[in-house]
Structure formats: C-alpha cells, structure tokens
Amino acid sequence: ATSPTLAKRASGRLSETRRAAWYVPGQTSWIWWYEANRERFEDLRRRRFQTPVAPLFGVGKARGPVVGTLSVRIAPRQRQRLIDTTLDVLDQPRGEWIHTQAASLVALGKLAETPSHVERLTAVLAPEAKATAYLRESAALGLGQLKRTDAQLRLGREALDAARAALAATIAEDTFQPRTRAFAALSLGLLGDQPSARNDGARWTADTLFRTWIDSDQPDEVQVGALMGMVRLPPDAVTSVMRLMLEGCALRGGHWNYRPSTLVRSNAIIALAEIGTAQNAHALATLLDKDHKAPVGLRQAAAMAVAILGERFPATRPQLGRAILAALDETREPGTRHTLVMSLGRLLAAEACGGS
C-alpha cells in the first residue's frame, strides 16, 4: 500500500464509476490517485460499512448509502498470529522481501497494540536507519494507520506522541525523498484527533503542518502532503488565520512572498472546499468563469471543489449548479469538461438523496 498500484490492491479495486469520476488527464501523480482512494485508505477501521448507491439511482427505497453493522474486531489469538507473522517478515533479509516488508509496515500500523510496535515503525524513519525510500514511505503510511476511531482500541498517549514526533522529524528531514515526507505529513494529519499527553496536541499538529505548507522552500509534494494532512484534522484545530491563508492561496494565488505552484494551489482549492465555509462557494465558482484566465489545473480543481462544497452545504447547490452549467457552455478543454460533468453529477446525487 505504498504506491498507487500496491495501494489499490490493498484497498480493493476501485469501481469503474468512481475511477472515471476522478480521473483527470495528465494528472498521474500519487496526489491525484490519493484523492480518488482516500476514503478507503483513511477509514479502514470504522465499525460500520457503507455501500454507496449509484448516483442516478439514489431515490425511493435506495436513498443514500446502504449502511450495515460489520464488526472489524479480531479475536486476540488471531490478532497475535497476524502481528507475529508481520514482525517475522520485517526480520527477514532485505532484497526479495522488500515488497512484502513494505506492506507489512502498513499492516503493523493497523495491528499495533504496544509501544514496541510503534518503535518498529519509527525506527525505519530514523535518518541513520539502513532503509530504502520505499520502506520509509511505507513506515510513514503505517504510522498514519495507528488512527483508531474506537476509543477502546486506541494506543497510549505516549506511544502516539512518539509516532507524531517521528513523523514531524521525517517531514523536516530534507535528505529524505519528497514523497516520503509528503506521506509523513498526511499521516500526521490522520493522527491529529488521537489522544496526546500534550494539552494542545491537535493544535501542535495543525501548527506543524501549517508551517510545512506555508514554507515555499518545501517541494511541491511536501506542501501538498501538508495540505492533505490539515484537512484531516479536527475542525477546531485549524485556526481562523490558517483558514485565511488557505483562502488566499486558493483564490488569490498566495500571500506576500509566497507564490505557490499550480499543483499546490490546486490542492489548496480542494482543501478550502473540505474545511472552508459556505461563504467560499461564490469565490470558488468564479474560478470556473471563462474570463478568470485560470490555468487548466486550477479550473479542474475548482470543478472538484464546488462539488465538495455543494455536498457539504445544501443551500449552495443551486448557485454552484448554475456555475457548472455555465462553465460547460464555455469550456472546450476535454479534461475540464469531464470534471465539470462529474461534479454536476455529484451535486445532483446529493440533492436526489436529500442528504447534506
């Protein structure tokens, strides 16, 4: 689960409908893959499962998701066997085992029960460790899987703080590859709502990710990883100043000496839709206007963003729907038109299902 191919195998094959909905021509990096797969990746441990209905059939008896009650608890004996097997794989010589060991690092994060398990993961991220970038990014993803939605399954505060400290150090380690640092930022965000011995644990996490993102000297992927981590945080951890800076980056292209690339700004637009307010709807919709002169990447991101905002805030759907229809009349670029059509479908599905 440390590359688009392996992660897709680990989380199940993406449906044709969902893959089509999120495929953007030319955007083949892990960032865009993650945007399509993040729901399965981030919430693997919830005790309920949802089977979304097809958007055009979200009416009548099939309104909304079909929700069940699937328990994911594993019997203690089975769990211990899984942990022992995972640790045994990690103890094998490198080389032909590297792919299995990479997957085992992510699995260990899902199964971890003791501080020693966390230490096995953090040890791979130590600068002096003899580990490849492939294993480091797997360990970073594994630490993100320490997130537990069930309070009874959560690790101790000290172990989680150690994981957060290792991830923060990884983000700051400029000798590591950008992708490793980006995954560390994402995982740090996933742990933002977990217990901490610090009174300001969530706010500290938010500050760490915010400083990483706003530092324009960081590679684009690291900044994007920080943005993705920020939107995974509890809402009250993100301050009004952080939201204001995010809005400035998304809508105006930065602040003062900070001028983000199109890739970073595109992801800031999506992040603003995730943690912004209904008041951002009009400004994001203007990015779809033919007179805005926004690059293709920004217009595609804006098309995704208005769908997210419309799903979150029902009152904005008529305005956003009209903006999408107007943009479709004026846009000829295939990738942008594709994204606009899929975003319009998401708005219609949300309205048909009657949910917010």
Side-chain angles (χ1 to χ4, degrees):
T2 57
S3 70
T5 301
L6 291 178
K8 189 179 293 183
R9 292 175 183 171
S11 61
R13 182 175 295 278
L14 199 61
S15 71
E16 292 296 331
T17 301
R18 187 164 175 78
R19 181 160 51 245
W22 283 100
Y23 174 72
V24 181
Q27 304 288 1
T28 58
S29 72
W30 69 268
I31 295 168
W32 297 96
W33 167 85
Y34 173 77
E35 207 41 56
N37 288 271
R38 63 186 175 86
E39 291 178 2
R40 294 184 181 187
F41 175 77
E42 292 171 11
D43 202 12
L44 297 176
R45 205 165 283 97
R46 59 185 174 179
R47 298 186 64 189
R48 301 173 70 83
F49 67 90
Q50 294 181 340
T51 305
V53 299
L56 296 181
F57 297 93
V59 293
K61 295 182 179 179
R63 289 173 66 101
V66 179
V67 180
T69 55
L70 175 67
S71 173
V72 296
R73 290 184 181 274
I74 303 174
R77 179 181 297 181
Q78 294 174 323
R79 190 179 191 88
Q80 189 58 52
R81 289 182 64 184
L82 288 170
I83 292 174
D84 291 343
T85 301
T86 300
L87 295 175
D88 183 59
V89 170
L90 294 177
D91 289 335
Q92 299 301 315
R94 302 277 164 80
E96 64 183 37
W97 284 88
I98 188 169
H99 296 292
T100 308
Q101 289 175 331
S104 295
L105 288 167
V106 179
L108 183 59
K110 300 174 185 177
L111 297 167
E113 293 181 326
T114 67
S116 64
H117 297 154
V118 179
E119 291 170 2
R120 290 296 298 266
L121 292 167
T122 58
V124 180
L125 294 175
E128 65 275 10
K130 295 181 179 179
T132 64
Y134 187 47
L135 291 179
R136 290 189 197 279
E137 65 188 42
S138 302
L141 288 171
L143 288 174
Q145 293 302 297
L146 296 175
K147 179 184 178 73
R148 304 287 192 268
T149 55
D150 187 336
Q152 295 180 348
L153 299 178
R154 288 174 178 167
L155 278 73
R157 299 172 184 269
E158 291 75 14
L160 289 167
D161 282 342
R164 280 186 280 257
L167 290 169
T170 300
I171 297 169
E173 183 55 64
D174 57 11
T175 62
F176 288 170
Q177 290 190 3
R179 187 162 117 154
T180 302
R181 300 167 64 198
F183 283 160
L186 166 63
S187 289
L188 184 60
L190 290 174
L191 298 182
D193 65 346
Q194 299 297 285
S196 173
R198 305 169 58 105
N199 293 330
D200 61 342
R203 182 61 57 82
W204 175 86
T205 301
D207 288 341
T208 301
L209 293 172
F210 177 74
R211 290 195 303 270
T212 300
W213 162 59
I214 209 66
D215 183 356
S216 58
D217 292 334
Q218 297 291 352
D220 282 358
E221 285 193 309
V222 178
Q223 293 187 59
V224 170
L227 284 169
M228 290 185 176
M230 285 177 64
V231 300
R232 308 278 82 80
L233 294 170
D236 58 354
V238 181
T239 66
S240 58
V241 172
M242 294 176 187
R243 294 178 193 275
L244 183 64
M245 297 290 280
L246 182 61
E247 181 178 332
C249 175
L251 303 178
R252 293 180 292 277
H255 297 277
W256 302 299
N257 294 325
Y258 176 57
R259 289 294 179 266
S261 68
T262 298
L263 177 64
V264 173
R265 189 179 171 193
S266 296
N267 282 271
I269 289 171
I270 295 175
L272 181 62
E274 294 273 9
I275 64 176
T277 66
Q279 283 66 43
N280 297 127
H282 175 73
L284 285 173
T286 61
L287 293 177
L288 300 177
D289 190 276
K290 65 180 178 63
D291 296 325
H292 193 277
K293 309 301 183 184
V296 171
L298 295 187
R299 288 172 63 81
Q300 293 178 358
M304 295 181 189
V306 295
I308 296 170
L309 268 178
E311 289 174 335
R312 292 179 59 210
F313 303 107
T316 66
R317 291 171 191 164
Q319 172 195 359
L320 296 177
R322 288 191 295 270
I324 291 175
L325 289 172
L328 277 170
D329 287 339
E330 300 162 351
T331 302
R332 294 294 175 264
E333 197 279 316
T336 305
R337 287 184 60 83
H338 175 88
T339 310
L340 287 166
V341 170
M342 298 312 302
S343 293
L344 182 61
R346 289 179 62 174
L347 290 182
L348 292 172
E351 190 67 18
C353 292
S356 60

